Amino acid sequence: MKSIDRLIGQLALDSQIRTSDIPKIDLYVDQVIQLFETAFHDTKRQPDDKILTKTMINNYAKGKLFYPVQHKKYTPDHIMLISLIYQMKSTLSINDVKKVLEKVNEQAQARELDLSVFYETYLALQEDNHDAFKEELERQAEAVAHTQSEQDGELAKVLFIASLVHKSNLYRRAAEKLADELVREEADGKNSY
């Protein structure tokens, strides 16, 4: 179980941009990148990995994943949206991310949605997910340990990896199905928010 505790510690689950971390003033792109680099530094797989680049942000802007910036400055709402994009893009396609966030963008730009309240709710859900993840990771490790003897440590680790990948794929597929459903509901004129 020590190795699971060590693994959980290495995942830097607490790495996040909280609303209190976001300056109350608008930021230039380099400042946005630095904010993300600082917040997510411990989540890098390799030390030279980039968390966020100007190219990424420009591509998100060109792809209309967030509403337009004014005078090359990013508001706190833009930073929250970019954080959501950053989290979603590792699982969903950019087109799916755009579709999922489309209504959020529209309502935030029109000031019909207090994005900070929405984002704080998202962060609270993340905290719940962390707790559930830790419990599930420990459960999976125990299940694998019971199927393999101690002398098959490498095989047990392969089984553990395969099981985690499978679970990840299940969650990704569920997210994709919900994204497709959201798009269908909007096309049918149903408001799913």
Side-chain angles (χ1 to χ4, degrees):
M1 205 50 77
K2 273 186 179 176
S3 62
I4 293 302
D5 291 337
R6 185 174 46 91
L7 174 61
I8 290 170
Q10 292 171 340
L11 294 176
L13 297 177
D14 293 335
S15 295
Q16 191 52 265
I17 294 179
R18 309 210 178 284
T19 51
S20 60
D21 298 331
I22 302 171
K24 303 297 181 226
I25 59 171
D26 297 349
L27 302 177
Y28 289 105
V29 70
D30 289 334
Q31 294 168 310
V32 173
I33 291 168
Q34 186 58 47
L35 178 65
F36 275 76
E37 192 66 35
T38 301
F40 294 106
H41 181 269
D42 292 338
T43 65
K44 290 181 179 184
R45 189 169 182 185
Q46 301 297 327
D48 58 343
D49 287 348
K50 299 289 184 202
I51 299 296
L52 197 60
T53 65
K54 284 182 185 181
T55 302
M56 288 178 194
I57 293 173
N58 287 335
N59 287 340
Y60 301 160
K62 286 179 189 171
K64 299 183 179 171
L65 272 73
F66 54 82
Y67 62 90
V69 298
Q70 299 294 319
H71 310 292
K72 297 184 180 184
K73 288 189 169 185
Y74 296 80
T75 65
D77 280 3
H78 285 110
I79 293 167
M80 288 181 265
L81 287 166
I82 293 169
S83 181
L84 288 167
I85 294 164
Y86 174 77
Q87 296 294 329
M88 289 183 183
K89 75 178 176 89
S90 63
T91 301
L92 295 174
S93 72
I94 290 296
N95 283 336
D96 282 345
V97 172
K98 179 181 178 179
K99 291 173 192 171
V100 167
L101 292 178
E102 186 173 34
K103 196 77 154 190
V104 172
N105 267 299
E106 288 173 10
Q107 291 182 0
Q109 185 176 16
R111 302 284 181 236
E112 297 169 357
L113 171 68
D114 183 343
L115 197 53
S116 62
V117 172
F118 179 84
Y119 188 74
E120 283 292 333
T121 303
Y122 162 71
L123 292 176
L125 289 169
Q126 267 194 345
E127 289 295 321
D128 290 344
N129 291 343
H130 293 164
D131 294 340
F133 171 75
K134 289 174 187 176
E135 291 172 14
E136 179 59 17
L137 197 62
E138 290 169 355
R139 190 192 69 71
Q140 288 272 330
E142 287 176 19
V144 169
H146 289 300
T147 61
Q148 293 292 314
S149 67
E150 286 299 315
Q151 56 195 337
D152 292 327
E154 187 174 320
L155 292 177
K157 192 170 273 188
V158 170
L159 280 174
F160 193 29
I161 291 167
S163 177
L164 292 175
V165 168
H166 177 256
K167 184 160 285 221
S168 173
N169 285 331
L170 293 174
Y171 281 114
R172 177 189 47 80
R173 287 174 38 211
E176 289 171 343
K177 292 291 183 190
L178 288 171
D180 292 344
E181 185 179 299
L182 182 69
V183 170
R184 274 193 307 277
E185 287 173 354
E186 287 181 8
D188 292 343
K190 294 179 184 174
N191 187 355
S192 59
Y193 284 88

